[in-house]
C-alpha cells in the first residue's frame, strides 16, 4: 500500500510538471519565477553585507531564494486545473494524495534551489548565512507550503492555459499578490520578533524548528486542507465553470 501511495503521488507530480511545461500561461509564469529567483540571488550577493540586511526586504529576498516556486506557482495553484477541474474531481481521485503531491512538488523545488544557493553562499564568501538560510528553507517547506495551498482554495477564477500571462488577468487579482508578499514576509517578521525577544541565533533556531514541526505534521495539515476544500468545493467548481 505504501509503495502504491507514493506511486500515485508521483503520478500527480508528473502530471503537474507536464502541465507546467506544455502550456503557454504556466511556462510564462515559470519564466517569471526564474527571473524572480535570479533577481533575489543578485540582490543577496550585492547587499548581504550592507545595512540592507537589517530591513524586511532583505528577508523577503532570502525567503525567495528557496520559496520562489512555492509562492510563484502556488498563487495559481488550483487555477492551473480550472479548465478541467470538473473532470478531475468526478474521477476517483484521492484528495489526500492530490494535495500531498502539491506539498512534495513545493518541497522538491525548494531543495532544487537550495543546491545552487548553498554553493552560492560558499563561493560568494557568505557561508555565515547558511544557518539563517536553512531556517528559512525549513519554514518555507513546513509552514508556507500548506499556507499557500490553503490560500489557493479561495482563488475560484478560471484561466485558460493556452493564453500567456502578459496583459492577461484571468485567474488572479491584486489580493493574490498581496498574499504572496505577506507569505514571503512571515519568516522575516518572525525573525525580527524572536531576535528582539530572545537572540539572533534563538530566532534562527525557532524559525527552523517551526518549519520542521510543520513538516512532521504534514498529514495533519493536509487533513485541514481537505476539510476546507470539501467546504468550498462547490464554490470552487462554480467559479471555474464561469467563463
Amino acid at each position: 500500500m505504501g509503495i502504491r501511495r507514493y506511486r500515485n503521488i508521483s503520478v500527480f507530480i508528473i502530471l503537474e510538471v507536464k502541465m507546467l511545461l506544455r502550456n503557454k500561461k504556466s511556462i510564462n509564469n515559470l519564466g517569471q519565477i526564474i527571473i524572480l529567483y535570479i533577481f533575489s540571488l543578485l540582490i543577496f550577493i550585492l547587499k548581504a553585507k550592507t545595512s540592507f540586511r537589517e530591513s524586511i526586504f532583505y528577508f523577503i529576498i532570502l525567503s525567495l531564494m528557496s520559496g520562489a516556486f512555492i509562492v510563484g506557482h502556488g498563487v495559481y495553484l488550483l487555477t492551473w486545473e480550472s479548465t478541467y477541474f470538473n473532470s478531475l474531481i468526478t474521477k476517483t481521485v484521492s484528495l489526500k494524495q492530490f494535495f500531498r503531491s502539491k506539498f512534495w512538488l513545493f518541497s522538491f523545488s525548494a531543495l532544487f534551489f537550495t543546491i545552487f544557493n548553498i554553493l552560492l553562499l560558499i563561493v560568494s564568501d557568505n557561508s555565515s548565512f547558511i544557518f539563517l538560510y536553512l531556517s528559512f528553507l525549513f519554514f518555507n517547506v513546513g509552514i508556507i507550503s500548506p499556507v499557500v495551498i490553503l490560500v489557493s482554495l479561495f482563488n475560484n477564477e478560471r484561466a485558460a492555459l493556452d493564453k500567456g500571462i502578459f496583459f492577461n488577468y484571468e485567474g488572479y487579482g491584486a489580493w493574490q499578490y498581496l498574499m504572496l508578499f505577506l507569505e514571503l514576509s512571515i519568516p522575516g517578521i518572525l525573525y525580527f520578533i524572536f531576535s528582539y525577544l530572545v537572540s539572533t541565533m534563538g530566532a534562527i533556531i525557532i524559525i527552523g524548528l517551526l518549519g520542521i514541526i510543520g513538516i512532521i505534521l504534514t498529514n495533519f495539515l493536509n487533513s485541514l486542507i481537505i476539510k476546507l476544500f470539501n467546504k468550498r468545493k462547490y464554490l470552487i467548481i462554480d467559479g471555474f465553470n464561469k467563463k
Side-chain angles (χ1 to χ4, degrees):
M1 289 295 293
I3 294 175
R4 184 182 301 172
R5 179 184 65 183
Y6 288 111
R7 184 184 298 140
N8 290 339
I9 290 174
S10 68
V11 168
F12 283 124
I13 294 174
I14 291 169
L15 286 173
E16 186 146 3
V17 171
K18 287 181 177 179
M19 176 278 299
L20 197 156
L21 296 176
R22 291 178 178 178
N23 293 280
K24 190 173 183 180
K25 188 179 186 71
S26 55
I27 200 70
N28 285 169
N29 190 63
L30 180 61
Q32 281 194 329
I33 291 171
I34 293 172
I35 291 172
L36 197 61
Y37 170 69
I38 294 173
F39 173 78
S40 68
L41 293 183
L42 292 175
I43 295 297
F44 181 86
I45 293 171
L46 296 174
K47 299 292 185 178
K49 296 182 179 180
T50 69
S51 59
F52 180 74
R53 64 173 294 190
E54 303 300 326
S55 71
I56 188 64
F57 295 104
Y58 165 78
F59 294 101
I60 289 175
I61 292 295
L62 188 62
S63 189
L64 267 174
M65 288 174 65
S66 60
F69 183 84
I70 294 173
V71 295
H73 183 72
V75 74
Y76 299 107
L77 197 60
L78 290 188
T79 302
W80 299 122
E81 281 104 4
S82 61
T83 55
Y84 55 88
F85 194 76
N86 283 357
S87 174
L88 180 67
I89 211 65
T90 54
K91 298 182 186 302
T92 54
V93 171
S94 166
L95 290 177
K96 182 177 180 180
Q97 293 173 349
F98 176 75
F99 286 109
R100 279 295 297 272
S101 71
K102 309 292 185 184
F103 175 82
W104 280 107
L105 181 62
F106 287 158
S107 301
F108 290 144
S109 73
L111 291 174
F112 177 78
F113 284 136
T114 295
I115 295 172
F116 297 98
N117 294 335
I118 295 296
L119 289 174
L120 173 74
L121 291 172
I122 295 172
V123 171
S124 63
D125 195 28
N126 286 302
S127 56
S128 59
F129 294 96
I130 288 178
F131 287 115
L132 178 60
Y133 170 81
L134 289 176
S135 72
F136 274 49
L137 166 68
F138 288 130
F139 192 88
N140 279 334
V141 172
I143 303 297
I144 299 301
S145 290
V147 168
V148 166
I149 297 171
L150 281 168
V151 170
S152 75
L153 302 183
F154 294 89
N155 183 15
N156 308 329
E157 296 183 30
R158 181 188 179 100
L161 298 184
D162 59 347
K163 299 178 182 178
I165 61 173
F166 301 106
F167 303 106
N168 175 19
Y169 303 103
E170 278 188 330
Y172 66 90
W175 73 271
Q176 285 138 308
Y177 286 95
L178 175 61
M179 288 303 303
L180 186 151
F181 179 79
L182 290 174
E183 289 158 359
L184 289 171
S185 301
I186 291 172
I189 292 171
L190 291 177
Y191 177 84
F192 280 124
I193 292 172
F194 291 127
S195 292
Y196 177 77
L197 295 176
V198 187
S199 66
T200 298
M201 183 53 68
I204 293 172
I205 293 172
I206 292 170
I207 292 170
L209 283 176
L210 287 173
I212 292 171
I213 291 170
I215 294 171
I216 293 172
L217 296 178
T218 297
N219 285 333
F220 171 72
L221 295 174
N222 202 45
S223 66
L224 293 180
I225 291 169
I226 293 170
K227 286 181 181 179
L228 180 59
F229 173 80
N230 284 328
K231 288 182 178 180
R232 294 190 51 81
K233 178 169 60 177
Y234 296 107
L235 289 173
I236 295 171
I237 292 172
D238 184 58
F240 288 165
N241 285 340
K242 293 177 181 178
K243 297 185 179 179

